[in-house]
Amino acid sequence: MRTPFSLLAERWQPSAAMVRRAAFAALVMSVVIVVTGGAVRLTASGLGCTTWPRCTGDSLTPTPEMGFHGVVEFTNRMLTYVLSAAVGWAILAARCHRPWRHSMTRLGWAQFWLVMSNAVLGGITVLTGLNPYTVAGHMIAAMALVWVALLMWERSKEGDGAPRLSVARPIHQLSYVLVAVVGLLVAAGTLVTGAGHHPGTPQDNKIVPRIPIDYDRLAQFHADFAFVSVGLTIALIFVFAAVKAPPAAKARTKELLAVLLLQGVLGFIQYFTDAPELMVGLHMLGATLTWIAALRIPLALRVREVEEPPIDASAPRTPETATV
Protein backbone atom coordinates (compact mmCIF):
# COMPACT_ATOMS: atom_id res chain seq x y z
CA MET A 1 0.00 0.00 0.00
CA ARG A 2 1.39 3.39 -1.01
CA THR A 3 1.42 5.95 1.77
CA PRO A 4 2.66 9.55 1.99
CA PHE A 5 5.79 8.18 3.68
CA SER A 6 6.50 5.72 0.88
CA LEU A 7 5.91 8.41 -1.75
CA LEU A 8 8.35 10.70 0.04
CA ALA A 9 10.87 7.85 0.29
CA GLU A 10 10.79 7.51 -3.50
CA ARG A 11 11.94 11.11 -3.89
CA TRP A 12 14.23 11.61 -0.90
CA GLN A 13 16.81 9.16 0.41
CA PRO A 14 18.79 10.73 3.26
CA SER A 15 22.25 9.43 4.02
CA ALA A 16 23.08 7.38 7.09
CA ALA A 17 24.90 10.44 8.49
CA MET A 18 21.71 12.51 8.19
CA VAL A 19 19.73 9.83 10.03
CA ARG A 20 22.28 9.97 12.83
CA ARG A 21 22.08 13.76 12.98
CA ALA A 22 18.28 13.64 13.10
CA ALA A 23 18.34 11.06 15.90
CA PHE A 24 20.89 13.16 17.81
CA ALA A 25 18.75 16.29 17.41
CA ALA A 26 15.80 14.44 18.93
CA LEU A 27 18.02 13.32 21.83
CA VAL A 28 19.27 16.86 22.46
CA MET A 29 15.74 18.25 22.47
CA SER A 30 14.62 15.54 24.91
CA VAL A 31 17.32 16.78 27.29
CA VAL A 32 16.41 20.43 26.67
CA ILE A 33 12.74 19.81 27.51
CA VAL A 34 13.77 18.28 30.87
CA VAL A 35 15.92 21.31 31.72
CA THR A 36 13.31 23.88 30.66
CA GLY A 37 10.64 21.96 32.57
CA GLY A 38 12.84 22.28 35.63
CA ALA A 39 13.22 26.01 34.94
CA VAL A 40 9.43 26.36 35.06
CA ARG A 41 9.36 24.90 38.56
CA LEU A 42 12.46 26.72 39.80
CA THR A 43 11.14 30.12 38.70
CA ALA A 44 7.83 29.38 40.49
CA SER A 45 6.05 29.45 37.12
CA GLY A 46 4.34 26.07 37.34
CA LEU A 47 0.92 27.71 37.34
CA GLY A 48 1.98 30.61 35.12
CA CYS A 49 -0.69 29.29 32.75
CA THR A 50 -3.63 28.48 34.95
CA THR A 51 -5.18 25.79 32.78
CA TRP A 52 -4.48 23.42 29.87
CA PRO A 53 -4.40 23.17 26.86
CA ARG A 54 -5.13 26.93 26.86
CA CYS A 55 -3.03 29.26 28.97
CA THR A 56 -6.15 30.78 30.52
CA GLY A 57 -9.81 29.97 30.21
CA ASP A 58 -10.17 32.63 27.49
CA SER A 59 -6.71 32.84 25.90
CA LEU A 60 -4.39 30.37 24.22
CA THR A 61 -1.38 32.58 25.00
CA PRO A 62 -0.43 34.33 28.27
CA THR A 63 -1.96 37.71 28.92
CA PRO A 64 0.08 40.76 30.04
CA GLU A 65 -1.40 40.43 33.52
CA MET A 66 0.23 37.02 33.90
CA GLY A 67 3.68 38.59 33.61
CA PHE A 68 6.97 36.69 33.73
CA HIS A 69 5.56 33.41 35.06
CA GLY A 70 3.06 33.14 32.22
CA VAL A 71 5.79 33.69 29.63
CA VAL A 72 8.04 31.02 31.19
CA GLU A 73 5.30 28.39 31.36
CA PHE A 74 4.03 29.14 27.86
CA THR A 75 7.58 29.05 26.42
CA ASN A 76 8.09 25.57 27.85
CA ARG A 77 4.84 24.47 26.23
CA MET A 78 5.95 25.87 22.89
CA LEU A 79 9.24 23.98 23.12
CA THR A 80 7.16 20.81 22.96
CA TYR A 81 6.47 21.70 19.33
CA VAL A 82 10.21 22.09 18.68
CA LEU A 83 10.74 18.68 20.27
CA SER A 84 7.94 17.23 18.12
CA ALA A 85 9.57 18.68 15.01
CA ALA A 86 12.91 17.09 15.92
CA VAL A 87 11.22 13.73 16.51
CA GLY A 88 9.31 14.11 13.24
CA TRP A 89 12.56 14.75 11.37
CA ALA A 90 14.04 11.61 12.92
CA ILE A 91 11.01 9.54 11.87
CA LEU A 92 11.09 10.82 8.29
CA ALA A 93 14.85 10.38 7.96
CA ALA A 94 14.64 6.81 9.26
CA ARG A 95 11.68 5.98 7.01
CA CYS A 96 13.19 7.39 3.82
CA HIS A 97 16.71 6.03 4.31
CA ARG A 98 17.67 3.13 2.06
CA PRO A 99 17.63 0.37 3.06
CA TRP A 100 14.61 1.05 5.24
CA ARG A 101 15.28 -0.06 8.81
CA HIS A 102 11.91 -0.76 10.40
CA SER A 103 13.41 -0.87 13.90
CA MET A 104 14.60 2.73 13.56
CA THR A 105 11.19 3.91 12.42
CA ARG A 106 9.53 2.18 15.37
CA LEU A 107 11.91 3.92 17.78
CA GLY A 108 11.02 7.25 16.18
CA TRP A 109 7.28 6.62 16.55
CA ALA A 110 7.82 5.49 20.15
CA GLN A 111 9.33 8.91 20.84
CA PHE A 112 6.37 10.62 19.19
CA TRP A 113 3.84 8.84 21.41
CA LEU A 114 5.94 9.49 24.50
CA VAL A 115 5.97 13.22 23.66
CA MET A 116 2.19 13.23 23.19
CA SER A 117 1.51 11.29 26.39
CA ASN A 118 3.89 13.49 28.37
CA ALA A 119 2.16 16.61 27.04
CA VAL A 120 -1.13 15.24 28.37
CA LEU A 121 0.54 14.36 31.68
CA GLY A 122 1.88 17.91 31.86
CA GLY A 123 -1.64 19.19 31.35
CA ILE A 124 -2.90 16.94 34.15
CA THR A 125 -0.11 18.32 36.35
CA VAL A 126 -1.39 21.87 35.81
CA LEU A 127 -5.04 20.89 36.24
CA THR A 128 -4.25 19.13 39.54
CA GLY A 129 -2.48 22.22 40.89
CA LEU A 130 1.07 20.78 40.63
CA ASN A 131 0.34 17.62 42.58
CA PRO A 132 3.85 16.33 43.49
CA TYR A 133 3.09 12.79 42.34
CA THR A 134 2.02 13.92 38.87
CA VAL A 135 5.08 16.19 38.74
CA ALA A 136 7.25 13.16 39.54
CA GLY A 137 5.45 11.11 36.89
CA HIS A 138 6.00 13.91 34.39
CA MET A 139 9.75 13.81 35.08
CA ILE A 140 9.96 10.01 34.86
CA ALA A 141 8.07 10.04 31.55
CA ALA A 142 10.57 12.61 30.25
CA MET A 143 13.39 10.26 31.26
CA ALA A 144 11.67 7.46 29.34
CA LEU A 145 11.73 9.73 26.29
CA VAL A 146 15.46 10.33 26.80
CA TRP A 147 15.96 6.56 26.96
CA VAL A 148 14.22 5.88 23.64
CA ALA A 149 15.88 8.87 21.94
CA LEU A 150 19.30 7.66 23.09
CA LEU A 151 18.54 4.13 21.88
CA MET A 152 17.58 5.44 18.43
CA TRP A 153 20.77 7.49 18.20
CA GLU A 154 22.94 4.55 19.25
CA ARG A 155 21.14 2.19 16.88
CA SER A 156 21.70 4.64 14.01
CA LYS A 157 25.43 3.90 14.33
CA GLU A 158 25.09 0.12 14.06
CA GLY A 159 23.33 -2.55 12.03
CA ASP A 160 20.17 -4.59 12.49
CA GLY A 161 21.87 -7.95 12.90
CA ALA A 162 21.26 -10.10 15.96
CA PRO A 163 23.09 -8.64 18.98
CA ARG A 164 26.31 -10.47 19.86
CA LEU A 165 27.66 -9.97 23.38
CA SER A 166 31.27 -8.88 23.80
CA VAL A 167 31.41 -10.14 27.41
CA ALA A 168 29.90 -13.00 29.38
CA ARG A 169 26.15 -12.73 29.90
CA PRO A 170 26.34 -12.28 33.72
CA ILE A 171 28.57 -9.24 33.24
CA HIS A 172 26.15 -7.81 30.69
CA GLN A 173 23.32 -8.38 33.16
CA LEU A 174 25.32 -6.62 35.86
CA SER A 175 25.44 -3.54 33.65
CA TYR A 176 21.64 -3.58 33.56
CA VAL A 177 21.57 -3.82 37.35
CA LEU A 178 23.57 -0.59 37.37
CA VAL A 179 21.05 1.00 34.98
CA ALA A 180 18.20 -0.06 37.29
CA VAL A 181 19.91 1.42 40.34
CA VAL A 182 20.57 4.70 38.53
CA GLY A 183 16.93 4.72 37.45
CA LEU A 184 15.88 4.34 41.10
CA LEU A 185 18.31 7.13 41.98
CA VAL A 186 16.56 9.46 39.53
CA ALA A 187 13.12 8.38 40.76
CA ALA A 188 14.15 9.02 44.37
CA GLY A 189 15.25 12.49 43.31
CA THR A 190 11.72 13.25 42.11
CA LEU A 191 10.42 12.39 45.60
CA VAL A 192 12.90 14.78 47.17
CA THR A 193 11.62 17.43 44.79
CA GLY A 194 8.04 16.66 45.78
CA ALA A 195 8.81 17.32 49.43
CA GLY A 196 11.41 20.02 48.92
CA HIS A 197 11.87 23.74 48.61
CA HIS A 198 10.55 24.42 45.10
CA PRO A 199 6.87 23.48 44.68
CA GLY A 200 6.63 25.37 41.39
CA THR A 201 4.74 28.40 42.71
CA PRO A 202 5.68 31.26 45.08
CA GLN A 203 6.49 30.01 48.58
CA ASP A 204 3.51 31.81 50.09
CA ASN A 205 1.13 29.73 47.95
CA LYS A 206 -0.22 27.15 50.39
CA ILE A 207 -2.48 25.48 47.81
CA VAL A 208 0.23 23.34 46.19
CA PRO A 209 0.40 19.97 48.01
CA ARG A 210 3.70 18.43 49.06
CA ILE A 211 4.71 14.84 49.73
CA PRO A 212 4.02 14.31 53.44
CA ILE A 213 7.39 12.71 54.26
CA ASP A 214 10.26 14.36 56.08
CA TYR A 215 12.51 16.12 53.56
CA ASP A 216 15.74 15.11 55.31
CA ARG A 217 14.75 11.43 55.27
CA LEU A 218 13.96 11.55 51.57
CA ALA A 219 17.24 13.33 50.87
CA GLN A 220 19.10 10.57 52.78
CA PHE A 221 17.12 7.92 50.84
CA HIS A 222 18.20 9.60 47.60
CA ALA A 223 21.83 9.79 48.80
CA ASP A 224 21.81 6.06 49.63
CA PHE A 225 21.00 5.22 46.01
CA ALA A 226 23.81 7.56 44.96
CA PHE A 227 26.30 5.67 47.14
CA VAL A 228 25.14 2.33 45.73
CA SER A 229 25.40 3.70 42.18
CA VAL A 230 28.96 4.89 42.77
CA GLY A 231 29.94 1.56 44.33
CA LEU A 232 28.49 -0.46 41.44
CA THR A 233 30.18 1.79 38.90
CA ILE A 234 33.58 1.36 40.55
CA ALA A 235 33.01 -2.40 40.69
CA LEU A 236 32.20 -2.46 36.97
CA ILE A 237 35.37 -0.51 36.18
CA PHE A 238 37.44 -3.26 37.83
CA VAL A 239 35.35 -6.06 36.28
CA PHE A 240 35.70 -4.59 32.79
CA ALA A 241 39.45 -4.30 33.26
CA ALA A 242 39.66 -7.94 34.39
CA VAL A 243 37.65 -9.39 31.51
CA LYS A 244 39.12 -7.11 28.85
CA ALA A 245 35.77 -5.51 28.00
CA PRO A 246 35.54 -3.32 24.87
CA PRO A 247 37.34 0.04 25.25
CA ALA A 248 34.06 1.90 24.67
CA ALA A 249 32.47 0.17 27.66
CA LYS A 250 35.46 1.00 29.88
CA ALA A 251 35.39 4.65 28.80
CA ARG A 252 31.63 4.98 29.31
CA THR A 253 31.83 3.50 32.81
CA LYS A 254 34.50 6.04 33.77
CA GLU A 255 32.33 8.80 32.32
CA LEU A 256 29.42 7.64 34.47
CA LEU A 257 31.63 7.68 37.58
CA ALA A 258 32.74 11.24 36.80
CA VAL A 259 29.16 12.41 36.34
CA LEU A 260 28.02 10.66 39.53
CA LEU A 261 30.78 12.26 41.57
CA LEU A 262 29.96 15.68 40.15
CA GLN A 263 26.29 15.09 40.92
CA GLY A 264 27.23 14.15 44.47
CA VAL A 265 29.12 17.41 44.94
CA LEU A 266 26.20 19.41 43.53
CA GLY A 267 23.74 17.50 45.71
CA PHE A 268 25.67 18.16 48.92
CA ILE A 269 26.11 21.85 48.05
CA GLN A 270 22.43 22.36 47.34
CA TYR A 271 21.40 20.48 50.50
CA PHE A 272 23.58 22.59 52.79
CA THR A 273 22.80 25.88 51.02
CA ASP A 274 19.00 25.53 51.18
CA ALA A 275 18.66 24.41 47.53
CA PRO A 276 19.36 27.57 45.48
CA GLU A 277 17.61 27.58 42.11
CA LEU A 278 20.76 27.52 39.99
CA MET A 279 22.20 24.53 41.85
CA VAL A 280 18.95 22.60 41.56
CA GLY A 281 18.80 23.35 37.83
CA LEU A 282 22.35 22.09 37.33
CA HIS A 283 21.49 19.00 39.39
CA MET A 284 18.52 18.27 37.09
CA LEU A 285 20.74 18.57 34.03
CA GLY A 286 23.24 16.30 35.73
CA ALA A 287 20.52 13.76 36.49
CA THR A 288 19.67 13.57 32.80
CA LEU A 289 23.33 13.17 31.83
CA THR A 290 23.77 10.51 34.53
CA TRP A 291 20.82 8.56 33.11
CA ILE A 292 22.27 8.79 29.59
CA ALA A 293 25.74 7.73 30.77
CA ALA A 294 24.32 4.67 32.55
CA LEU A 295 22.18 3.62 29.58
CA ARG A 296 25.14 3.76 27.19
CA ILE A 297 27.15 1.14 29.11
CA PRO A 298 25.10 -1.99 28.20
CA LEU A 299 24.93 -0.77 24.60
CA ALA A 300 28.73 -0.86 24.44
CA LEU A 301 28.80 -4.51 25.50
CA ARG A 302 27.19 -5.94 22.37
CA VAL A 303 27.69 -5.69 18.64
CA ARG A 304 25.06 -5.55 15.91
CA GLU A 305 26.43 -6.29 12.46
CA VAL A 306 25.00 -4.74 9.31
CA GLU A 307 22.74 -7.28 7.62
CA GLU A 308 23.33 -7.82 3.92
CA PRO A 309 20.19 -7.25 1.82
CA PRO A 310 18.75 -10.49 0.40
CA ILE A 311 19.72 -11.30 -3.20
CA ASP A 312 16.82 -11.48 -5.63
CA ALA A 313 17.03 -14.93 -7.24
CA SER A 314 15.16 -13.72 -10.32
CA ALA A 315 17.69 -10.93 -10.98
CA PRO A 316 20.48 -11.44 -13.55
CA ARG A 317 23.56 -12.94 -11.93
CA THR A 318 26.74 -10.89 -12.06
CA PRO A 319 30.28 -11.60 -10.89
CA GLU A 320 29.49 -9.60 -7.73
CA THR A 321 26.37 -11.58 -6.83
CA ALA A 322 27.46 -15.00 -7.99
CA THR A 323 28.51 -17.50 -5.37
CA VAL A 324 30.79 -20.45 -5.62
Side-chain angles (χ1 to χ4, degrees):
M1 180 182 296
R2 296 171 69 84
T3 66
F5 291 105
S6 62
L7 291 173
L8 178 61
E10 293 175 0
R11 294 163 174 78
W12 178 53
Q13 288 84 42
S15 64
M18 180 174 289
V19 175
R20 288 194 293 270
R21 286 194 294 268
F24 184 69
L27 173 60
V28 170
M29 279 307 305
S30 70
V31 174
V32 168
I33 205 70
V34 171
V35 175
T36 58
V40 170
R41 179 170 59 83
L42 295 172
T43 58
S45 303
L47 294 178
C49 287
T50 55
T51 188
W52 184 88
R54 292 174 174 268
C55 195
T56 69
D58 301 319
S59 175
L60 180 64
T61 60
T63 60
E65 294 77 14
M66 303 176 74
F68 171 76
H69 297 308
V71 172
V72 172
E73 165 65 8
F74 186 72
T75 299
N76 184 60
R77 293 187 183 187
M78 291 299 99
L79 281 175
T80 301
Y81 294 102
V82 180
L83 171 61
S84 299
V87 171
W89 180 30
I91 293 172
L92 289 175
R95 175 62 182 85
C96 296
H97 176 65
R98 289 292 180 269
W100 175 21
R101 297 175 59 188
H102 294 70
S103 60
M104 290 286 291
T105 308
R106 286 193 292 268
L107 288 170
W109 280 111
Q111 290 180 69
F112 172 80
W113 291 115
L114 280 170
V115 171
M116 295 300 103
S117 60
N118 211 15
V120 173
L121 185 55
I124 294 173
T125 300
V126 172
L127 296 176
T128 56
L130 303 185
N131 181 286
Y133 299 105
T134 59
V135 172
H138 196 39
M139 175 66 172
I140 291 173
M143 288 299 185
L145 174 63
V146 171
W147 185 355
V148 179
L150 172 68
L151 184 57
M152 184 177 185
W153 179 54
E154 291 285 349
R155 289 295 308 278
S156 70
K157 298 180 286 184
E158 55 189 17
D160 275 337
R164 177 171 52 83
L165 294 182
S166 305
V167 294
R169 185 169 297 277
I171 295 175
H172 188 243
Q173 292 171 340
L174 181 60
S175 70
Y176 277 112
V177 171
L178 175 60
V179 169
V181 172
V182 171
L184 292 173
L185 170 65
V186 174
T190 66
L191 297 179
V192 177
T193 295
H197 301 75
H198 302 285
T201 61
Q203 292 290 344
D204 57 357
N205 186 339
K206 304 301 182 181
I207 299 176
V208 177
R210 310 302 292 147
I211 293 178
I213 302 177
D214 182 69
Y215 174 77
D216 291 333
R217 289 187 177 183
L218 283 177
Q220 182 61 57
F221 180 66
H222 180 50
D224 291 341
F225 276 111
F227 294 139
V228 174
S229 299
V230 170
L232 274 174
T233 303
I234 294 174
L236 268 183
I237 289 175
F238 284 103
V239 169
F240 286 172
V243 302
K244 295 185 170 68
K250 296 178 181 178
R252 292 179 183 186
T253 309
K254 293 175 183 177
E255 289 169 3
L256 173 61
L257 179 61
V259 176
L260 281 170
L261 293 177
L262 179 59
Q263 275 290 87
V265 172
L266 290 175
F268 277 109
I269 292 176
Q270 75 175 46
Y271 180 79
F272 290 108
T273 57
D274 204 26
E277 288 81 358
L278 178 60
M279 296 302 299
V280 176
L282 291 174
H283 200 55
M284 287 190 67
L285 173 60
T288 309
L289 298 179
T290 301
W291 180 230
I292 290 174
L295 289 170
R296 295 183 72 212
I297 294 173
L299 297 177
L301 295 174
R302 88 288 186 269
V303 177
R304 285 180 179 268
E305 302 293 345
V306 177
E307 289 184 322
E308 294 295 333
I311 299 175
D312 186 355
S314 63
R317 296 174 68 84
T318 65
E320 288 78 11
T321 60
T323 58
V324 178

